[in-house]
Each structure stands twice: as structure tokens, then as C-alpha cells.
Amino acid sequence: MGIQDIIEGKKQWRAHKARVKALPPDYQIVYKEMEKYFFKVGPIDLPDGPLLPGIVDFFEEGVASGKGVLELIGNDVAAFSDDLIKDSRTYADAYQESITGEPGTAGK
């Protein structure tokens, strides 16, 4: 990864965070909790993948339609978050596979 890639990545991340800050406060709170959870759980493609920008897109649509954040995702934010990444490969999966040598053995 070159310097230009790093600079471009930072620009994209700042633009993403600016979109989050433009959301209403209740949406921001839920987004930040989801983001914190995703960084802890660790879907491997999180930094470069479509998950976080997709959530912001979804939330912006909810704001435009006049819905509250919990009307969109339901009362169980954790369940909603888990559902979004249920088929994603996580760092826990990769670690477990490195120990056992068998793909898909995490959590079993």
C-alpha cells in the first residue's frame, strides 16, 4: 500500500464520518454502537467493505422517510448487527482456522 492509497483511504474515512455526523442524534448513537461492535467482532472486510457505508445509506433513507432509527432496525440493535454479519468471515474465524487447520470451525 502506497502513500497515495493511505491518503485516499483517510479522505474516504473522513467523508464517511462526516455523513455519520450529519445524521440525527439517535441515529448517530446507534451507528456508533454498531461500529464499535463491528470493530470488536471483526468482519475481515470491514475496513474496505460495503458494510459501514451501507448502514449509513440505510440510515439516511430512514431519515428521509421520517422514521426513527428503532423503527428501521427494531429494538434489538445487537440482533440487527449480528444479522448483518452472520455470513461474514471474522478474525475469530481466521484465528480458529489457523489453530485447527480446518475452515469454518470457529464457534464449534
Side-chain angles (χ1 to χ4, degrees):
M1 179 183 293
I3 297 284
Q4 290 296 66
D5 294 334
I6 294 170
I7 291 170
E8 186 59 35
K10 283 188 176 189
K11 285 180 185 177
Q12 290 175 356
W13 183 250
R14 286 183 184 132
H16 172 77
K17 294 304 266 187
R19 288 178 61 202
V20 172
K21 286 184 180 181
L23 293 170
D26 57 335
Y27 279 85
Q28 287 183 42
I29 291 167
V30 170
Y31 174 84
K32 288 176 185 175
E33 288 302 313
M34 291 173 70
E35 180 185 77
K36 186 172 25 173
Y37 175 72
F38 291 140
F39 278 118
K40 190 180 291 184
V41 171
I44 290 176
D45 67 349
L46 185 64
D48 301 322
L51 180 64
L52 294 178
I55 292 169
V56 176
D57 292 341
F58 181 61
F59 281 4
E60 287 172 340
E61 290 172 13
V63 170
S65 67
K67 293 183 178 180
V69 68
L70 296 181
E71 287 179 77
L72 286 179
I73 66 169
N75 291 328
D76 193 344
V77 178
F80 179 80
S81 299
D82 282 339
D83 217 27
L84 289 176
I85 61 169
K86 68 180 176 198
D87 295 327
S88 299
R89 190 163 183 262
T90 66
Y91 287 111
D93 294 333
Y95 177 71
Q96 188 66 34
E97 290 165 10
S98 74
I99 292 172
T100 65
E102 298 176 33
T105 56
K108 294 182 181 172

